[in-house]
Amino acid sequence: MKSLPLYKQIQQDIRRLITIGQLREGDRVPSEKELAAQYRVSQITSKNALLGLMEEGLLVRIQGKGTFVMQQSDNRQEPGAQTGVGWLTYRSGRIGLVLPTMKTKVDQLILDEIERHATAAGYEVLLRITRESQQEESRVIASFLKQGVDGIIIFPVENETYNDSILRLSLDRFPFVFIDRYLKGIKCCSVSADNTGGMRQAVERLLAKGHASIALISPEITNTVTEERAAGFEQVFLERKASIDKNLWCMLPLELIASGAAERLIADFLQEHPQVTAAVTANSELCRCVWRAVQAGGKTIPGDMELVTFDQPDLPGVSYLRQDIGEMCRLTMALLVEQINGEQEYRQLVVPVSVIEANESHFILNKTY
């Protein structure tokens, strides 16, 4: 009898490990390189072995993370016939909402709009706050699953690129949707604002008004929001074939923002770069820090420096980029209900933002900022 081809031997061993429980659902399997070394074969052979098991539905590859054992169901049916999947056999009429904080207007609007759309769809919302802790986020997800929610909406923590609990939701095909931010490499539905397009609008507007030295003031890049907003800033200059001075990028570490040091750091930055005549801030919190720093330096906005920010800062003379939170929440709830009803088409939806021009008459000028 002919011996099995080497790639089939690898596949047979992985199937055996899954069968005996040594490799469980969601576990990472050895990489192509690791398998090649273990079996003394080429990486082409080990790659073909993994690809074959992925085609069978035994494994799934998460870009940048590795290859994992896919969830298997004793009641597995043909694609599209999802009614036998475990989480569809019982409905609680409740969904979980995971928010990182409740400090900003965006957080509060998301809660309000999700609750409104969930009620209209016949669902009760269970809210948990992670306080920007990835460990707490994992505990919250586990708690929601234990309580038997039908689906989960997740606003990921700010400093997050990967979470095992969220990966397992994806592997188990449990209904969940990311809102505002999402995690790359995890197959899921998400709804976010057009961060890149919004930043482009802001920078193009300032360039059109004659500003040559435009600062970007943002938290350090730790998630898709900050990454996309920085990319939008850069794209404008690349498309114009103009040089971009990244010395005018003030990227603040999250721990320093949390400690209350942002205003001092921004004041130092502006003092070191007196040529700056305009700035775009990535959020309204940093916008208020810039405002106070400029005022403390004896200058005015927009007289001495023009300022544009994401989200309404409630400051005179400041234009802002308005995210359509209502539409984002409507789409998020619609995607979650689709998944709860058994649809498994993963979509990443982007909602346009709009520029709201500064109008000092809309503000109470004697307000303390």
Side-chain angles (χ1 to χ4, degrees):
M1 177 186 291
K2 292 183 179 180
S3 61
L4 285 174
L6 292 173
Y7 80 94
K8 285 188 175 292
Q9 291 179 32
I10 297 172
Q11 290 176 338
Q12 190 176 64
D13 285 350
I14 291 175
R15 289 193 197 94
R16 180 180 59 80
L17 292 175
I18 293 172
T19 300
I20 65 176
Q22 192 167 332
L23 280 175
R24 299 176 302 162
E25 297 169 5
D27 284 350
R28 179 185 172 277
V29 301
S31 67
E32 295 166 9
K33 185 176 181 179
E34 290 166 341
L35 288 172
Q38 179 181 344
Y39 287 88
R40 297 182 181 180
V41 297
S42 69
Q43 281 192 226
I44 294 176
T45 299
S46 58
K47 180 178 182 179
N48 286 337
L50 294 178
L51 286 174
L53 294 175
M54 283 187 273
E55 289 174 0
E56 291 178 23
L58 288 176
L59 305 180
V60 61
R61 176 164 290 167
I62 307 296
Q63 185 177 0
K65 304 301 175 186
T67 304
F68 300 82
V69 179
M70 176 68 86
Q71 182 208 8
Q72 305 301 315
S73 171
D74 293 335
N75 299 314
R76 192 177 354 174
Q77 303 178 26
E78 292 300 316
Q82 299 288 341
T83 55
V85 179
W87 48 261
L88 283 175
T89 60
Y90 168 76
R91 299 284 179 84
S92 68
R94 296 175 296 174
I95 63 167
L97 174 60
V98 183
L99 294 179
T101 73
M102 279 296 291
K103 295 179 180 178
T104 71
K105 285 187 176 179
V106 170
D107 299 325
Q108 295 158 17
L109 282 171
I110 286 176
L111 172 58
D112 183 62
E113 290 291 330
I114 289 295
E115 198 278 334
R116 183 166 70 87
H117 290 293
T119 299
Y123 290 92
E124 176 188 357
V125 177
L126 304 182
L127 171 67
R128 295 292 183 274
I129 310 296
T130 63
R131 292 171 177 80
E132 297 289 7
S133 165
Q134 187 170 326
Q135 291 73 27
E136 182 62 23
E137 186 179 70
S138 293
R139 286 192 287 269
V140 165
I141 290 170
S143 174
F144 279 151
L145 294 175
K146 187 175 181 180
Q147 293 177 70
V149 298
D150 298 330
I152 304 175
I153 295 170
I154 303 172
F155 188 150
V157 303
E158 192 166 21
N159 188 17
E160 177 169 58
T161 56
Y162 179 73
N163 185 316
D164 282 327
S165 298
I166 295 175
L167 173 61
R168 186 165 290 279
L169 292 179
S170 176
L171 294 171
D172 290 347
R173 299 184 183 180
F174 185 86
F176 78 100
V177 182
F178 285 128
I179 188 167
D180 190 82
R181 309 167 188 149
Y182 58 92
L183 304 186
K184 290 184 175 181
I186 292 184
K187 193 174 184 181
C188 63
C189 289
S190 68
V191 180
S192 58
D194 186 3
N195 297 300
T196 303
M199 183 61 79
R200 287 172 59 96
Q201 288 183 72
V203 175
E204 287 169 350
R205 173 184 174 279
L206 293 172
L207 289 172
K209 296 179 76 171
H211 293 286
S213 297
I214 304 171
L216 171 63
I217 300 176
S218 169
E220 62 187 348
I221 296 174
T222 60
N223 54 58
T224 54
V225 171
T226 47
E227 180 180 355
E228 290 167 357
R229 291 177 183 178
F233 193 106
E234 191 169 19
Q235 283 177 16
V236 175
F237 289 88
L238 291 174
E239 290 176 5
R240 292 178 177 228
K241 294 183 170 55
S243 60
I244 181 169
D245 185 359
K246 289 196 175 179
N247 289 320
L248 302 184
W249 285 27
C250 179
M251 310 300 282
L252 301 169
L254 296 176
E255 61 271 18
L256 291 181
I257 296 174
S259 73
E263 186 176 335
R264 174 181 55 80
L265 294 171
I266 290 169
D268 292 344
F269 169 82
L270 294 175
Q271 190 172 8
E272 292 167 6
H273 301 88
Q275 73 273 32
V276 169
T277 60
V280 185
T281 60
N283 59 50
S284 58
E285 177 187 3
L286 291 181
C287 178
R288 287 187 285 273
C289 291
V290 174
W291 171 273
R292 291 191 293 266
V294 170
Q295 297 289 321
K299 296 183 178 181
T300 63
I301 292 174
D304 297 303
M305 190 173 80
E306 190 161 0
L307 189 55
V308 184
T309 186
F310 272 83
D311 303 321
Q312 185 173 356
D314 289 333
L315 293 170
V318 178
S319 299
Y320 68 95
L321 298 157
R322 186 178 71 86
Q323 302 183 79
D324 191 344
I325 301 298
E327 180 65 4
M328 288 170 61
C329 292
R330 184 189 70 81
L331 292 171
T332 297
M333 194 64 211
L335 290 179
L336 188 66
V337 170
E338 285 180 5
Q339 291 182 71
I340 291 171
N341 291 334
E343 297 183 29
Q344 287 293 328
E345 180 184 353
Y346 297 103
R347 289 180 284 167
Q348 292 187 320
L349 305 182
V350 177
V351 178
V353 303
S354 53
V355 179
I356 307 299
E357 297 290 348
N359 186 340
E360 294 196 19
S361 65
H362 289 176
F363 300 95
I364 301 173
L365 297 184
N366 63 359
K367 182 176 178 181
T368 300
Y369 298 104

